[in-house]
């Protein structure tokens, strides 16, 4: 996923793209962990972590889009 933005240099864009990949991966992992858990407290912990990483992903993506 590559975005061109004249306001951001190549290195910054690369770092943002890596952050997006990591947030997406963590969102998916924690959601998967939540689905595998039987303990309700652990399930909630994993589910909340997945929501947090999804929110982070959206924030980083919005930053990238709005910095055009």
């Amino acid at each position: 996923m590559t975005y061109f933005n004249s306001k951001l240099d190549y290195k910054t864009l690369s770092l943002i793209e890596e952050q997006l990949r990591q947030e997406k991966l963590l969102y998916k992992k924690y959601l998967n962990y939540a689905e595998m858990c039987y303990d309700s407290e652990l399930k909630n912990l994993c589910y909340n972590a997945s929501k947090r990483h999804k929110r982070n992903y959206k924030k980083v993506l919005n930053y990238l889009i709005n910095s055009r």
Side-chain angles (χ1 to χ4, degrees):
M1 166 180 1
T2 304
Y3 297 94
F4 177 73
N5 185 323
S6 60
K7 293 181 185 178
L8 300 174
D9 62 15
Y10 178 78
K11 183 175 182 177
T12 303
L13 283 173
S14 296
L15 291 171
I16 292 172
E17 287 178 343
E18 179 60 25
Q19 183 67 33
L20 282 171
R21 282 191 290 274
Q22 293 299 319
E23 292 296 345
K24 187 175 184 179
L25 178 64
L26 288 167
Y27 159 68
K28 288 181 177 183
K29 281 187 174 185
Y30 279 114
L31 188 59
N32 189 40
Y33 297 153
E35 292 170 356
M36 294 189 308
C37 289
Y38 294 106
D39 179 88
S40 62
E41 188 174 341
L42 190 53
K43 182 183 272 295
N44 286 335
L45 186 67
C46 290
Y47 181 68
N48 288 336
S50 76
K51 287 191 331 187
R52 183 175 62 247
H53 287 290
K54 186 175 185 177
R55 194 169 47 245
N56 290 347
Y57 176 86
K58 287 180 178 182
K59 284 180 181 179
V60 174
L61 185 59
N62 284 333
Y63 170 78
L64 187 60
I65 291 169
N66 292 328
S67 65
R68 289 182 163 189

